[in-house]
Short mmCIF file of all heavy atoms in Angstrom, two decimals:
data_model
loop_
_atom_site.label_atom_id
_atom_site.label_comp_id
_atom_site.label_asym_id
_atom_site.label_seq_id
_atom_site.Cartn_x
_atom_site.Cartn_y
_atom_site.Cartn_z
N GLY A 45 19.69 -63.15 35.81
CA GLY A 45 18.73 -62.79 36.85
C GLY A 45 18.03 -61.48 36.50
O GLY A 45 18.66 -60.58 35.94
N PHE A 46 16.77 -61.37 36.86
CA PHE A 46 16.00 -60.18 36.64
C PHE A 46 16.02 -59.28 37.86
O PHE A 46 15.91 -59.75 38.99
CB PHE A 46 14.52 -60.54 36.34
CG PHE A 46 14.28 -61.15 35.03
CD1 PHE A 46 14.07 -62.49 34.85
CD2 PHE A 46 14.27 -60.35 33.85
CE1 PHE A 46 13.86 -63.06 33.65
CE2 PHE A 46 14.04 -60.92 32.61
CZ PHE A 46 13.84 -62.26 32.52
N SER A 47 16.07 -57.98 37.61
CA SER A 47 15.96 -56.96 38.68
C SER A 47 14.54 -56.92 39.16
O SER A 47 13.59 -57.10 38.41
CB SER A 47 16.32 -55.59 38.11
OG SER A 47 16.02 -54.57 39.03
N LYS A 48 14.38 -56.71 40.45
CA LYS A 48 13.04 -56.48 41.03
C LYS A 48 12.70 -54.97 41.01
O LYS A 48 11.56 -54.58 41.04
CB LYS A 48 12.98 -56.98 42.49
CG LYS A 48 12.98 -58.46 42.59
CD LYS A 48 12.84 -58.93 44.01
CE LYS A 48 12.81 -60.46 44.11
NZ LYS A 48 12.66 -60.88 45.50
N LEU A 49 13.73 -54.11 40.89
CA LEU A 49 13.54 -52.65 40.91
C LEU A 49 13.23 -52.14 39.54
O LEU A 49 12.31 -51.32 39.36
CB LEU A 49 14.80 -51.94 41.45
CG LEU A 49 15.27 -52.36 42.85
CD1 LEU A 49 16.55 -51.69 43.20
CD2 LEU A 49 14.16 -52.02 43.86
N GLU A 50 13.92 -52.54 38.54
CA GLU A 50 13.72 -52.16 37.14
C GLU A 50 13.32 -53.46 36.42
O GLU A 50 14.18 -54.21 35.93
CB GLU A 50 15.02 -51.60 36.49
CG GLU A 50 15.47 -50.31 37.13
CD GLU A 50 14.58 -49.14 36.81
OE1 GLU A 50 13.85 -49.21 35.75
OE2 GLU A 50 14.57 -48.17 37.55
N THR A 51 12.03 -53.72 36.37
CA THR A 51 11.56 -55.04 35.98
C THR A 51 11.84 -55.47 34.57
O THR A 51 11.65 -56.61 34.22
CB THR A 51 10.04 -55.17 36.27
OG1 THR A 51 9.36 -54.16 35.52
CG2 THR A 51 9.74 -55.01 37.76
N ASN A 52 12.32 -54.55 33.72
CA ASN A 52 12.69 -54.97 32.36
C ASN A 52 14.18 -55.12 32.20
O ASN A 52 14.67 -55.25 31.10
CB ASN A 52 12.14 -53.95 31.29
CG ASN A 52 12.70 -52.57 31.49
OD1 ASN A 52 12.76 -52.07 32.62
ND2 ASN A 52 13.12 -51.93 30.44
N PHE A 53 14.95 -55.15 33.29
CA PHE A 53 16.39 -55.30 33.25
C PHE A 53 16.81 -56.71 33.63
O PHE A 53 16.29 -57.26 34.64
CB PHE A 53 17.10 -54.30 34.17
CG PHE A 53 17.11 -52.88 33.66
CD1 PHE A 53 17.70 -51.86 34.40
CD2 PHE A 53 16.54 -52.52 32.43
CE1 PHE A 53 17.75 -50.54 33.96
CE2 PHE A 53 16.59 -51.20 31.98
CZ PHE A 53 17.17 -50.23 32.74
N LEU A 54 17.74 -57.25 32.86
CA LEU A 54 18.29 -58.57 33.08
C LEU A 54 19.81 -58.44 33.33
O LEU A 54 20.48 -57.80 32.55
CB LEU A 54 18.05 -59.45 31.86
CG LEU A 54 18.66 -60.85 31.87
CD1 LEU A 54 17.87 -61.77 32.81
CD2 LEU A 54 18.67 -61.45 30.46
N LEU A 55 20.24 -59.03 34.42
CA LEU A 55 21.67 -59.08 34.72
C LEU A 55 22.22 -60.41 34.14
O LEU A 55 21.70 -61.47 34.43
CB LEU A 55 21.94 -59.03 36.21
CG LEU A 55 23.41 -59.08 36.61
CD1 LEU A 55 24.12 -57.78 36.21
CD2 LEU A 55 23.55 -59.34 38.12
N VAL A 56 23.31 -60.30 33.36
CA VAL A 56 23.94 -61.49 32.76
C VAL A 56 25.36 -61.56 33.35
O VAL A 56 26.12 -60.59 33.28
CB VAL A 56 23.98 -61.39 31.26
CG1 VAL A 56 24.72 -62.62 30.64
CG2 VAL A 56 22.58 -61.29 30.66
N VAL A 57 25.69 -62.70 33.95
CA VAL A 57 27.03 -62.90 34.52
C VAL A 57 27.77 -63.89 33.67
O VAL A 57 27.28 -65.00 33.39
CB VAL A 57 26.91 -63.41 35.98
CG1 VAL A 57 28.29 -63.58 36.62
CG2 VAL A 57 26.04 -62.51 36.81
N SER A 58 29.00 -63.51 33.27
CA SER A 58 29.83 -64.41 32.47
C SER A 58 31.26 -64.40 33.01
O SER A 58 31.56 -63.66 33.91
CB SER A 58 29.81 -63.99 30.99
OG SER A 58 30.63 -62.84 30.84
N SER A 59 32.07 -65.25 32.44
CA SER A 59 33.47 -65.37 32.88
C SER A 59 34.27 -64.09 32.54
O SER A 59 35.35 -63.90 33.08
CB SER A 59 34.13 -66.57 32.27
OG SER A 59 34.09 -66.44 30.85
N SER A 60 33.69 -63.20 31.76
CA SER A 60 34.35 -61.92 31.46
C SER A 60 33.64 -60.69 32.02
O SER A 60 33.87 -59.58 31.58
CB SER A 60 34.53 -61.80 29.91
OG SER A 60 33.22 -61.77 29.30
N GLY A 61 32.78 -60.90 32.99
CA GLY A 61 32.14 -59.77 33.66
C GLY A 61 30.61 -59.85 33.67
O GLY A 61 30.02 -60.90 33.47
N ARG A 62 30.01 -58.69 33.94
CA ARG A 62 28.54 -58.63 34.04
C ARG A 62 28.02 -57.59 33.03
O ARG A 62 28.66 -56.60 32.71
CB ARG A 62 28.13 -58.12 35.44
CG ARG A 62 28.51 -59.10 36.56
CD ARG A 62 28.26 -58.51 37.91
NE ARG A 62 29.25 -57.42 38.13
CZ ARG A 62 29.29 -56.67 39.22
NH1 ARG A 62 28.44 -56.85 40.19
NH2 ARG A 62 30.21 -55.73 39.40
N SER A 63 26.81 -57.87 32.53
CA SER A 63 26.13 -56.95 31.63
C SER A 63 24.69 -56.76 32.13
O SER A 63 24.10 -57.66 32.71
CB SER A 63 26.06 -57.53 30.20
OG SER A 63 27.33 -57.67 29.67
N LEU A 64 24.15 -55.59 31.85
CA LEU A 64 22.77 -55.27 32.16
C LEU A 64 22.08 -55.10 30.78
O LEU A 64 22.50 -54.32 29.95
CB LEU A 64 22.71 -54.00 32.99
CG LEU A 64 21.42 -53.75 33.76
CD1 LEU A 64 21.09 -54.89 34.67
CD2 LEU A 64 21.56 -52.45 34.55
N ILE A 65 20.99 -55.88 30.63
CA ILE A 65 20.27 -55.91 29.32
C ILE A 65 18.89 -55.31 29.54
O ILE A 65 18.19 -55.65 30.49
CB ILE A 65 20.17 -57.34 28.79
CG1 ILE A 65 21.52 -58.06 28.76
CG2 ILE A 65 19.44 -57.41 27.47
CD1 ILE A 65 22.53 -57.49 27.83
N ASP A 66 18.44 -54.47 28.58
CA ASP A 66 17.06 -53.99 28.54
C ASP A 66 16.28 -55.04 27.80
O ASP A 66 16.44 -55.26 26.59
CB ASP A 66 16.99 -52.65 27.84
CG ASP A 66 15.57 -52.10 27.80
OD1 ASP A 66 14.60 -52.87 27.93
OD2 ASP A 66 15.45 -50.86 27.62
N CYS A 67 15.38 -55.74 28.50
CA CYS A 67 14.63 -56.88 27.88
C CYS A 67 13.65 -56.45 26.82
O CYS A 67 13.29 -57.26 25.99
CB CYS A 67 13.91 -57.65 29.00
SG CYS A 67 15.01 -58.50 30.13
N SER A 68 13.24 -55.19 26.83
CA SER A 68 12.29 -54.75 25.80
C SER A 68 12.96 -54.58 24.47
O SER A 68 12.29 -54.56 23.42
CB SER A 68 11.60 -53.48 26.24
OG SER A 68 12.55 -52.43 26.37
N THR A 69 14.31 -54.47 24.43
CA THR A 69 15.03 -54.28 23.19
C THR A 69 16.10 -55.35 22.96
O THR A 69 16.57 -55.51 21.83
CB THR A 69 15.72 -52.89 23.13
OG1 THR A 69 16.68 -52.83 24.22
CG2 THR A 69 14.69 -51.78 23.31
N GLY A 70 16.58 -55.94 24.05
CA GLY A 70 17.69 -56.89 23.96
C GLY A 70 19.06 -56.22 23.89
O GLY A 70 20.06 -56.81 23.65
N ILE A 71 19.06 -54.88 24.14
CA ILE A 71 20.30 -54.11 24.04
C ILE A 71 21.01 -54.01 25.38
O ILE A 71 20.38 -53.81 26.43
CB ILE A 71 19.97 -52.66 23.53
CG1 ILE A 71 19.44 -52.76 22.09
CG2 ILE A 71 21.19 -51.75 23.60
CD1 ILE A 71 18.94 -51.48 21.50
N LYS A 72 22.33 -54.16 25.34
CA LYS A 72 23.21 -54.06 26.50
C LYS A 72 23.27 -52.55 26.90
O LYS A 72 23.60 -51.72 26.07
CB LYS A 72 24.59 -54.59 26.17
CG LYS A 72 25.53 -54.62 27.31
CD LYS A 72 26.92 -55.03 26.97
CE LYS A 72 27.02 -56.00 25.84
NZ LYS A 72 28.34 -56.32 25.37
N ILE A 73 22.96 -52.25 28.16
CA ILE A 73 22.96 -50.85 28.58
C ILE A 73 24.06 -50.56 29.61
O ILE A 73 24.40 -49.41 29.83
CB ILE A 73 21.59 -50.39 29.14
CG1 ILE A 73 21.13 -51.34 30.26
CG2 ILE A 73 20.57 -50.36 28.04
CD1 ILE A 73 19.86 -50.90 30.95
N GLU A 74 24.62 -51.58 30.23
CA GLU A 74 25.73 -51.41 31.17
C GLU A 74 26.67 -52.62 31.01
O GLU A 74 26.22 -53.69 30.64
CB GLU A 74 25.25 -51.36 32.64
CG GLU A 74 24.19 -50.33 32.96
CD GLU A 74 24.79 -48.99 33.33
OE1 GLU A 74 26.04 -48.87 33.44
OE2 GLU A 74 24.02 -48.03 33.45
N ARG A 75 27.96 -52.42 31.36
CA ARG A 75 28.90 -53.51 31.24
C ARG A 75 30.07 -53.29 32.19
O ARG A 75 30.52 -52.14 32.35
CB ARG A 75 29.41 -53.58 29.81
CG ARG A 75 30.47 -54.64 29.53
CD ARG A 75 29.81 -55.99 29.36
NE ARG A 75 30.71 -56.95 28.76
CZ ARG A 75 31.40 -57.88 29.47
NH1 ARG A 75 31.25 -57.97 30.77
NH2 ARG A 75 32.18 -58.70 28.87
N ASP A 76 30.52 -54.35 32.84
CA ASP A 76 31.81 -54.32 33.53
C ASP A 76 32.62 -55.52 33.07
O ASP A 76 32.09 -56.36 32.36
CB ASP A 76 31.67 -54.23 35.05
CG ASP A 76 31.29 -55.56 35.73
OD1 ASP A 76 31.17 -56.59 35.02
OD2 ASP A 76 31.13 -55.55 36.94
N TYR A 77 33.92 -55.56 33.42
CA TYR A 77 34.76 -56.60 32.89
C TYR A 77 35.48 -57.44 33.97
O TYR A 77 36.43 -58.13 33.66
CB TYR A 77 35.76 -56.01 31.91
CG TYR A 77 35.13 -55.44 30.71
CD1 TYR A 77 34.74 -54.10 30.66
CD2 TYR A 77 34.84 -56.24 29.59
CE1 TYR A 77 34.15 -53.57 29.56
CE2 TYR A 77 34.21 -55.74 28.51
CZ TYR A 77 33.87 -54.38 28.48
OH TYR A 77 33.23 -53.88 27.34
N GLU A 78 34.98 -57.34 35.21
CA GLU A 78 35.60 -58.07 36.28
C GLU A 78 34.95 -59.48 36.42
O GLU A 78 33.76 -59.55 36.79
CB GLU A 78 35.51 -57.30 37.60
CG GLU A 78 36.30 -57.92 38.71
CD GLU A 78 36.21 -57.11 40.00
OE1 GLU A 78 35.84 -55.94 39.93
OE2 GLU A 78 36.46 -57.73 41.05
N ALA A 79 35.70 -60.54 36.19
CA ALA A 79 35.17 -61.89 36.21
C ALA A 79 34.64 -62.21 37.62
O ALA A 79 35.29 -61.95 38.59
CB ALA A 79 36.25 -62.88 35.85
N TYR A 80 33.44 -62.71 37.66
CA TYR A 80 32.79 -63.18 38.88
C TYR A 80 32.57 -62.10 39.94
O TYR A 80 32.33 -62.40 41.08
CB TYR A 80 33.57 -64.39 39.53
CG TYR A 80 33.96 -65.42 38.45
CD1 TYR A 80 35.28 -65.64 38.15
CD2 TYR A 80 32.98 -66.15 37.81
CE1 TYR A 80 35.66 -66.59 37.19
CE2 TYR A 80 33.33 -67.10 36.88
CZ TYR A 80 34.64 -67.31 36.57
OH TYR A 80 35.02 -68.22 35.60
N ALA A 81 32.64 -60.85 39.61
CA ALA A 81 32.44 -59.76 40.54
C ALA A 81 31.03 -59.81 41.11
O ALA A 81 30.07 -59.91 40.39
CB ALA A 81 32.69 -58.41 39.89
N GLY A 82 30.95 -59.74 42.44
CA GLY A 82 29.65 -59.66 43.10
C GLY A 82 28.86 -60.95 43.12
O GLY A 82 27.74 -60.98 43.58
N LEU A 83 29.42 -62.03 42.60
CA LEU A 83 28.72 -63.29 42.48
C LEU A 83 28.74 -64.07 43.78
O LEU A 83 29.79 -64.22 44.37
CB LEU A 83 29.32 -64.16 41.37
CG LEU A 83 28.67 -65.46 41.07
CD1 LEU A 83 27.19 -65.31 40.64
CD2 LEU A 83 29.44 -66.18 39.97
N ASP A 84 27.57 -64.49 44.28
CA ASP A 84 27.47 -65.33 45.46
C ASP A 84 26.66 -66.56 45.07
O ASP A 84 25.46 -66.55 45.17
CB ASP A 84 26.76 -64.53 46.63
CG ASP A 84 26.66 -65.33 47.86
OD1 ASP A 84 26.91 -66.56 47.89
OD2 ASP A 84 26.24 -64.70 48.92
N GLU A 85 27.41 -67.57 44.62
CA GLU A 85 26.72 -68.77 44.12
C GLU A 85 26.07 -69.57 45.26
O GLU A 85 25.14 -70.32 45.05
CB GLU A 85 27.72 -69.66 43.35
CG GLU A 85 28.08 -69.02 42.06
CD GLU A 85 28.81 -69.94 41.13
OE1 GLU A 85 28.13 -70.69 40.42
OE2 GLU A 85 30.06 -69.90 41.15
N TRP A 86 26.54 -69.38 46.48
CA TRP A 86 25.95 -70.11 47.64
C TRP A 86 24.54 -69.62 47.88
O TRP A 86 23.62 -70.38 48.12
CB TRP A 86 26.81 -69.89 48.90
CG TRP A 86 26.30 -70.62 50.07
CD1 TRP A 86 25.64 -70.07 51.11
CD2 TRP A 86 26.40 -72.02 50.35
NE1 TRP A 86 25.32 -71.02 52.02
CE2 TRP A 86 25.74 -72.24 51.56
CE3 TRP A 86 26.93 -73.08 49.65
CZ2 TRP A 86 25.64 -73.52 52.14
CZ3 TRP A 86 26.81 -74.34 50.23
CH2 TRP A 86 26.18 -74.54 51.44
N ASN A 87 24.33 -68.27 47.80
CA ASN A 87 23.00 -67.68 48.00
C ASN A 87 22.26 -67.42 46.70
O ASN A 87 21.17 -66.89 46.72
CB ASN A 87 23.12 -66.41 48.83
CG ASN A 87 23.54 -66.70 50.26
OD1 ASN A 87 22.86 -67.45 50.94
ND2 ASN A 87 24.61 -66.13 50.68
N ILE A 88 22.83 -67.81 45.60
CA ILE A 88 22.27 -67.68 44.24
C ILE A 88 21.87 -66.21 43.98
O ILE A 88 20.76 -65.96 43.54
CB ILE A 88 21.16 -68.70 44.01
CG1 ILE A 88 21.52 -70.07 44.54
CG2 ILE A 88 20.84 -68.81 42.53
CD1 ILE A 88 20.43 -71.11 44.44
N THR A 89 22.82 -65.31 44.25
CA THR A 89 22.58 -63.89 43.94
C THR A 89 23.86 -63.27 43.34
O THR A 89 24.94 -63.84 43.41
CB THR A 89 22.26 -63.10 45.25
OG1 THR A 89 23.36 -63.18 46.13
CG2 THR A 89 21.00 -63.64 45.88
N CYS A 90 23.68 -62.09 42.80
CA CYS A 90 24.82 -61.31 42.28
C CYS A 90 24.52 -59.84 42.45
O CYS A 90 23.34 -59.40 42.31
CB CYS A 90 25.08 -61.65 40.83
SG CYS A 90 26.62 -60.90 40.18
N GLU A 91 25.56 -59.05 42.77
CA GLU A 91 25.37 -57.62 42.88
C GLU A 91 25.11 -57.04 41.49
O GLU A 91 25.72 -57.47 40.50
CB GLU A 91 26.65 -56.96 43.42
CG GLU A 91 26.90 -57.25 44.86
CD GLU A 91 28.28 -56.73 45.35
OE1 GLU A 91 28.92 -56.02 44.58
OE2 GLU A 91 28.64 -57.08 46.43
N GLY A 92 24.19 -56.11 41.39
CA GLY A 92 23.93 -55.43 40.11
C GLY A 92 25.05 -54.48 39.76
O GLY A 92 25.99 -54.29 40.52
N ILE A 93 24.95 -53.90 38.56
CA ILE A 93 25.91 -52.92 38.10
C ILE A 93 25.19 -51.67 37.65
O ILE A 93 23.96 -51.70 37.42
CB ILE A 93 26.79 -53.48 36.97
CG1 ILE A 93 25.95 -53.87 35.79
CG2 ILE A 93 27.64 -54.59 37.44
CD1 ILE A 93 26.75 -54.24 34.53
N GLY A 94 25.96 -50.59 37.43
CA GLY A 94 25.35 -49.36 36.90
C GLY A 94 24.22 -48.87 37.74
O GLY A 94 24.34 -48.72 38.97
N SER A 95 23.06 -48.63 37.12
CA SER A 95 21.91 -48.09 37.84
C SER A 95 21.34 -49.10 38.85
O SER A 95 20.54 -48.75 39.72
CB SER A 95 20.80 -47.71 36.84
OG SER A 95 20.43 -48.84 36.08
N LEU A 96 21.77 -50.36 38.80
CA LEU A 96 21.32 -51.37 39.76
C LEU A 96 22.47 -51.82 40.71
O LEU A 96 22.40 -52.87 41.30
CB LEU A 96 20.79 -52.62 39.00
CG LEU A 96 19.61 -52.36 38.10
CD1 LEU A 96 19.20 -53.64 37.42
CD2 LEU A 96 18.43 -51.77 38.87
N ALA A 97 23.46 -50.94 40.87
CA ALA A 97 24.62 -51.31 41.68
C ALA A 97 24.27 -51.60 43.12
O ALA A 97 24.95 -52.38 43.79
CB ALA A 97 25.65 -50.18 41.60
N GLN A 98 23.17 -51.06 43.64
CA GLN A 98 22.78 -51.26 45.04
C GLN A 98 21.88 -52.46 45.20
O GLN A 98 21.49 -52.80 46.33
CB GLN A 98 22.09 -50.00 45.57
CG GLN A 98 22.94 -48.73 45.53
CD GLN A 98 24.30 -48.94 46.21
OE1 GLN A 98 24.36 -49.45 47.34
NE2 GLN A 98 25.36 -48.59 45.53
N GLU A 99 21.50 -53.14 44.12
CA GLU A 99 20.57 -54.27 44.20
C GLU A 99 21.31 -55.57 44.16
O GLU A 99 22.17 -55.81 43.34
CB GLU A 99 19.55 -54.25 43.06
CG GLU A 99 18.50 -55.36 43.18
CD GLU A 99 17.47 -55.31 42.03
OE1 GLU A 99 17.56 -54.44 41.15
OE2 GLU A 99 16.59 -56.17 42.07
N ARG A 100 20.93 -56.50 45.06
CA ARG A 100 21.44 -57.87 45.00
C ARG A 100 20.36 -58.65 44.23
O ARG A 100 19.22 -58.76 44.70
CB ARG A 100 21.64 -58.44 46.43
CG ARG A 100 22.14 -59.88 46.39
CD ARG A 100 23.03 -60.24 47.52
NE ARG A 100 24.34 -59.66 47.57
CZ ARG A 100 25.34 -60.05 46.84
NH1 ARG A 100 25.21 -61.01 45.91
NH2 ARG A 100 26.55 -59.48 46.97
#
Side-chain angles (χ1 to χ4, degrees):
F46 287 104
S47 169
K48 289 184 180 180
L49 302 176
E50 296 288 338
T51 58
N52 61 316
F53 286 179
L54 176 74
L55 180 70
V56 178
V57 182
S58 75
S59 59
S60 61
R62 296 171 291 179
S63 296
L64 199 56
I65 308 295
D66 181 338
C67 292
S68 63
T69 63
I71 294 174
K72 184 185 329 174
I73 55 175
E74 304 274 354
R75 177 79 165 102
D76 77 1
Y77 294 93
E78 187 179 340
Y80 313 113
L83 182 61
D84 182 348
E85 291 192 84
W86 182 257
N87 290 305
I88 314 176
T89 63
C90 188
E91 292 173 7
I93 60 172
S95 60
L96 299 179
Q98 301 306 312
E99 184 180 1
R100 181 150 287 285

